[in-house]
Amino acid sequence: MDTKRYLGGLVLFLSLTVLASAARADPAPPVPATGPPAPPVPEIGRTWPVGTRPVVVRGWEPPPTAYARGHRGVDLAAFPGAPVRAVAAGRVSYAGRVAGRGVISVALAGTDLRTTYEPVRPLVTKGDEVAPGQVVGTVEPTGSHCGVPCVHWGLRRDRTYLDPLTLMPPWLLRSGPSRLLPVRGVPLPS
């Protein structure tokens, strides 16, 4: 047997084995961004996009990397035709159709944040100023990715997706009904 040929084949075999095992290895963890940390999301939400305290059908599930699977927003149960409101003051940066669904995007005033709502039939146009609680559209009957009718509510800072619930102050996030406490020293109505 030719020693050169044998060693050449062995080197090729070992090289392919190393490459194959490297391809099967877990990808490297994401490299943390350098520089100052991103500013926190201000609690500027003043109303829910739909309803008064909608059911969260699916929560925020951030992807481990920019292109990985995840859920880049929050799905809120909503009936078709229900009004969709701006959660905070801002300017409409987009109102139209994307991939067959109605989408509204609002640049939030005084921030570098943008919130999105879909599937909706827009009642606003690009450039409109909106106030917190202002109706910007209605829930479309089709186009939702939920098993039930819902509105997908998203939040972005530049190209980074964030949890839109972080816009809401604690008093809007609390669940459960209000409780009346006993009042002492006040006469009962007659």
Side-chain angles (χ1 to χ4, degrees):
M1 176 177 225
D2 184 6
T3 305
K4 271 187 174 175
R5 186 177 281 167
Y6 173 77
L7 290 175
L10 182 60
V11 167
L12 178 62
F13 172 77
L14 292 174
S15 298
L16 290 175
T17 303
V18 168
L19 287 175
S21 66
R24 284 191 305 266
D26 290 334
V31 177
T34 57
V41 173
E43 295 173 351
I44 58 174
R46 292 296 168 253
T47 184
W48 286 94
V50 291
T52 54
R53 178 61 174 104
V55 172
V56 175
V57 177
R58 184 174 177 194
W60 165 250
E61 299 167 16
T65 64
Y67 300 104
R69 290 175 54 139
H71 192 241
R72 294 165 171 84
V74 175
D75 294 337
L76 304 172
F79 292 106
V84 177
R85 293 177 167 75
V87 298
R91 181 184 300 272
V92 176
S93 57
Y94 182 82
R97 304 209 59 82
V98 175
R101 290 188 297 263
V103 176
I104 297 172
S105 182
V106 176
L108 302 180
T111 73
D112 58 352
L113 301 170
R114 186 171 25 128
T115 188
T116 57
Y117 313 92
E118 66 173 278
V120 297
R121 185 174 61 84
L123 299 176
V124 292
T125 58
K126 182 178 179 178
D128 287 353
E129 294 282 336
V130 295
Q134 179 180 336
V135 175
V136 295
T138 58
V139 179
E140 287 185 334
T142 60
S144 172
H145 63 266
C146 302
V148 298
C150 77
V151 167
H152 179 84
W153 175 32
L155 177 66
R156 285 178 68 171
R157 174 179 280 131
D158 192 26
R159 292 184 175 189
T160 302
Y161 290 91
L162 304 167
D163 182 355
L165 292 176
T166 58
L167 285 172
M168 306 302 265
W171 61 271
L172 274 174
L173 291 173
R174 284 189 208 110
S175 60
S178 298
R179 291 185 307 153
L180 296 177
L181 301 174
V183 179
R184 303 203 191 288
V186 176
L188 293 174
S190 38

